[in-house]
Amino acid sequence: MKRSRLSISKLFVLGLFALLLAVGAILLSSCTHRHEFGPWVTAKRPTCTEKGLHERRCECGAVKQDVIPALSHKEGGWVIVTAPTCVSEGSRTKSCMTCHKIMATQSIAKVEHKTVYHLGMEPTCEQGGWAAYHTCLHCDYTTYKDIAPLDHDEIVHESKKPTCTEDGWREYVTCSRCSYTTYNPLPKTGHEIRNGECRHCDYALPSVGLVFHSNGDGTCEVTGIGTFTGSRLVIPATSPDGDRVTAIGRSAFNDCKTITSAVIPDGITTIKAYAFYKCAKLTKITIADSVTTIEGGAFNGCGALIEIKLPANLTTLKNGVFMDCSSLKSIVIPVGVTVLDRGMFNACLSLESVTLPETMTSMLGGVSFYHCTALKTIILPDTMTNIGSATFQRCDALESIVIGIGVKTIAGSAFAECAAFKTVFYRGTETDRQNIHIDAESNQALLDATWYYYSETKPTTEGNFWHYVNGVPTVW
């Protein structure tokens, strides 16, 4: 134990002696060496956030060091990272120009759509359409919207049975907007002829046995009843010799006791004077539109005549055509007729309605409506210039009349013996009336009547005024 302690002591003393020797050597060398340092060398480069280091070295290994300050960040400009679009924002950043560290980030707002306008298309019953819309040139943006088909706007049409000459149809549906239809025609049946007449309609075969007179130029006129004994007279379009029938001759069927109806075909242009005079049983006559002239007294004395439609191309009605047609109730004069000749409807005791065209200018010779005891009112067109003598004499039921502004003369007795007459609806003004020459002879009923003057709008002044309400003359 004692020995080990002695060994330690010896070792300590020996170590201390060696240290002193080393220190002495160093002190001795320092007294004799001078450092020579080399150039500064960058040992560590500075960054934006950390210091750097310079150092110099001596051959002996001695070192001198110097700190290099941190550089700090050098901010650059904005750089777009993601460009904005119509549907998403973009972004941009600022970085250090030295270390490239991102120093700031910003979003960039979305850009506006660059739109293109597109026209719409209306939907149809069976095909859809679209409203007007916009799209963008740069993205999928669109305002396009489909419009559903409309479906058919159905109109129901009642069925119609076919006739001899016209197709019929079953009940069917059409569309108000398109050509859709369920129409299915039923073919016409054709005539079923017995004893020269159709069992189902008014058609009859042309009458046989009539007398014709040839004009020598391929045309002819029918001049007499001949051997025909039937009740329904159908004038043929051609004679047995092949001439075209263009006229019904003067007094051709005068006082025929058997005829109840007559058909005048296309191609005939003239019905001559007294052609059907005193055909007492004639109730109906059908006249083709080719007829332009009906001469005087053509239907005079046809007391049973109820129905007649004058042809559309008619231009001439001579005097007394319908005189003594006591059963005739109404008639429409076509627009081509300009003159109502003398005695046209004389003693038509049942006549209640007469429509005169705007083309008519005068009632020549008067007595046009003499003794028409059922006639209550009549409208004279503005184109008419004169009312002849005794035109409405003995029209016992006549209460009112519309006189056009064109009338300049009213002859004597024009309104004689018109016991019920009391009202004149005049198309002109009170001043215009002063320009009408009224023959006072037997026209007291006209002079005593109340005159009303036309006004389209309700007058603001006192007086007698009238206007039309649904075609009926009405006092304001």
Side-chain angles (χ1 to χ4, degrees):
M1 195 69 180
K2 287 180 180 181
R3 244 184 223 182
S4 63
R5 286 179 181 173
L6 286 174
S7 298
I8 293 171
S9 296
K10 287 180 180 180
L11 290 172
F12 176 76
V13 172
L14 289 173
L16 181 61
F17 179 72
L19 178 61
L20 290 173
L21 287 176
V23 170
I26 292 170
L27 289 173
L28 182 61
S29 63
S30 64
C31 291
T32 60
H33 179 70
R34 187 182 184 95
H35 294 298
E36 291 186 6
F37 291 100
W40 288 103
V41 177
T42 301
K44 178 183 178 183
R45 292 182 179 279
T47 67
C48 298
T49 56
E50 295 181 355
K51 297 176 181 179
L53 186 65
H54 284 290
E55 64 179 23
R56 301 172 69 188
R57 290 183 178 274
C58 180
E59 291 180 352
C60 69
V63 178
K64 278 188 177 182
Q65 292 182 330
D66 189 13
V67 175
I68 304 172
L71 300 175
S72 297
H73 292 298
K74 187 176 181 180
E75 191 177 81
W78 289 107
V79 176
I80 294 176
V81 177
T82 305
T85 67
C86 309
V87 294
S88 62
E89 294 180 338
S91 64
R92 62 180 184 173
T93 60
K94 280 185 178 181
S95 301
C96 175
M97 296 175 65
T98 304
C99 68
H100 307 297
K101 179 181 178 180
I102 295 174
M103 302 180 66
T105 301
Q106 274 187 351
S107 62
I108 305 173
K110 292 186 288 187
V111 298
E112 294 289 333
H113 293 296
K114 188 167 184 180
T115 57
V116 178
Y117 178 78
H118 302 268
L119 293 173
M121 175 175 283
E122 293 292 331
T124 64
C125 298
E126 298 177 336
Q127 186 173 356
W130 55 83
Y133 66 98
H134 289 84
T135 57
C136 178
L137 289 173
H138 302 304
C139 70
D140 294 333
Y141 169 79
T142 181
T143 60
Y144 176 88
K145 287 184 180 179
D146 283 318
I147 302 176
L150 299 175
D151 294 330
H152 296 297
D153 182 22
E154 293 186 348
I155 301 172
V156 178
H157 301 265
E158 294 182 355
S159 62
K160 178 186 174 183
K161 290 183 178 180
T163 66
C164 302
T165 57
E166 295 181 348
D167 290 340
W169 53 79
R170 297 184 179 88
E171 182 181 284
Y172 68 99
V173 173
T174 59
C175 176
S176 67
R177 292 187 296 260
C178 71
S179 58
Y180 171 77
T181 181
T182 60
Y183 174 80
N184 187 19
L186 300 173
K188 57 191 175 187
T189 59
H191 297 296
E192 185 179 347
I193 305 297
R194 284 192 183 180
N195 299 322
E197 296 184 2
C198 179
R199 295 183 60 197
H200 307 292
C201 71
D202 291 338
Y203 175 77
L205 295 174
S207 300
V208 177
L210 303 179
V211 178
F212 299 88
H213 173 74
S214 177
N215 297 320
D217 59 359
T219 67
C220 67
E221 62 182 52
V222 57
T223 59
I225 194 72
T227 60
F228 177 73
T229 58
S231 62
R232 185 169 187 190
L233 176 66
V234 180
I235 309 297
T238 58
S239 72
D241 294 331
D243 289 335
R244 289 184 297 107
V245 182
T246 58
I248 299 176
R250 182 183 179 91
S251 301
F253 304 104
N254 186 341
D255 202 25
C256 181
K257 305 297 185 184
T258 60
I259 299 174
T260 60
S261 66
V263 177
I264 299 174
D266 188 46
I268 291 179
T269 60
T270 304
I271 302 173
K272 293 188 177 180
Y274 302 102
F276 293 90
Y277 179 70
K278 285 191 176 182
C279 288
K281 293 184 179 181
L282 182 64
T283 61
K284 179 181 178 181
I285 185 163
T286 302
I287 307 175
D289 284 340
S290 59
V291 173
T292 60
T293 301
I294 301 177
E295 294 183 355
F299 302 102
N300 187 341
C302 294
L305 184 62
I306 298 173
E307 182 179 349
I308 186 168
K309 180 182 178 183
L310 295 178
N313 295 318
L314 186 67
T315 58
T316 304
L317 276 172
K318 294 294 186 178
N319 58 296
V321 168
F322 299 103
M323 184 180 293
D324 290 324
C325 290
S326 55
S327 297
L328 187 64
K329 289 188 175 183
S330 66
I331 195 164
V332 176
I333 307 299
V335 295
V337 178
T338 59
V339 175
L340 204 62
D341 214 338
R342 181 179 179 82
M344 183 63 58
F345 298 101
N346 193 332
C348 288
L349 304 179
S350 300
L351 188 63
E352 298 175 351
S353 173
V354 179
T355 302
L356 302 177
E358 290 298 328
T359 54
M360 185 163 288
T361 59
S362 66
M363 296 180 181
L364 291 176
V367 297
S368 298
F369 295 95
Y370 181 87
H371 203 206
C372 289
T373 55
L375 188 65
K376 291 184 177 182
T377 187
I378 190 169
I379 298 175
L380 306 183
D382 283 341
T383 52
M384 184 168 289
T385 59
N386 72 291
I387 301 174
S389 62
T391 295
F392 297 103
Q393 186 172 353
R394 295 188 65 191
C395 289
D396 300 338
L398 187 66
E399 297 176 353
S400 65
I401 189 170
V402 175
I403 296 179
I405 195 171
V407 170
K408 301 303 180 187
T409 60
I410 300 176
S413 300
F415 292 87
E417 301 178 77
C418 293
F421 190 72
K422 58 186 177 182
T423 305
V424 175
F425 296 105
Y426 180 50
R427 287 278 292 172
T429 65
E430 193 166 2
T431 302
D432 294 329
R433 179 193 170 185
Q434 306 307 316
N435 296 323
I436 302 176
H437 174 72
I438 301 175
D439 191 329
E441 181 183 353
S442 301
N443 273 329
Q444 198 59 43
L446 177 65
L447 297 172
D448 291 343
T450 302
W451 285 62
Y452 291 89
Y453 304 98
Y454 186 76
S455 178
E456 189 72 31
T457 58
K458 188 173 183 178
T460 57
T461 59
E462 292 185 1
N464 297 335
F465 300 99
W466 71 281
H467 65 300
Y468 283 112
V469 176
N470 296 325
V472 178
T474 305
V475 175
W476 278 108

